[in-house]
Amino acid sequence: MIREMALATKLEMTAETLLWRGVIARTIQVWLSKPLRPKREAERYLFENSADLSSVCASAGIDIVRMRTCLNKVRGRTLPDLLPIAT
């Protein structure tokens, strides 16, 4: 999922869209793998309703509800646990 967000497969993706997808992907990576404090900050950003996240998702071409549905499926797992799934 992170790889899909960071790397666009459609040619019409703009540099700006790719940048915002990278921001979201990096935030998810922090949420899955960092120490507790950054992890909690990333989780708060990803799951609390905010105009900022809505704007970032819109700029990235990502449906926020669909993204959160996917993120809820991996909640409680760590990045090393998910790497085999992502490949």
Side-chain angles (χ1 to χ4, degrees), residues 36-52:
L36 193 55
R37 184 175 182 181
K39 181 186 217 76
R40 284 184 180 163
E41 290 171 1
E43 183 171 33
R44 191 170 27 255
Y45 181 75
L46 291 167
F47 289 98
E48 287 183 3
N49 293 328
S50 72
D52 184 56

Side-chain angles (χ1 to χ4, degrees), residues 4-66:
E4 290 171 356
M5 288 180 174
L7 302 172
T9 57
K10 295 182 180 178
L11 294 175
E12 64 268 9
M13 292 289 177
T14 65
E16 181 182 355
T17 301
L18 292 173
L19 171 70
W20 290 117
R21 285 177 177 240
V23 168
I24 293 170
R26 180 67 180 139
T27 304
I28 293 169
Q29 191 174 31
V30 168
W31 174 60
L32 292 172
S33 63
K34 294 296 179 179
L36 193 55
R37 184 175 182 181
K39 181 186 217 76
R40 284 184 180 163
E41 290 171 1
E43 183 171 33
R44 191 170 27 255
Y45 181 75
L46 291 167
F47 289 98
E48 287 183 3
N49 293 328
S50 72
D52 184 56
L53 181 61
S54 296
S55 177
V56 169
C57 285
S59 296
I62 294 174
D63 180 295
I64 193 168
V65 173
R66 187 167 176 239

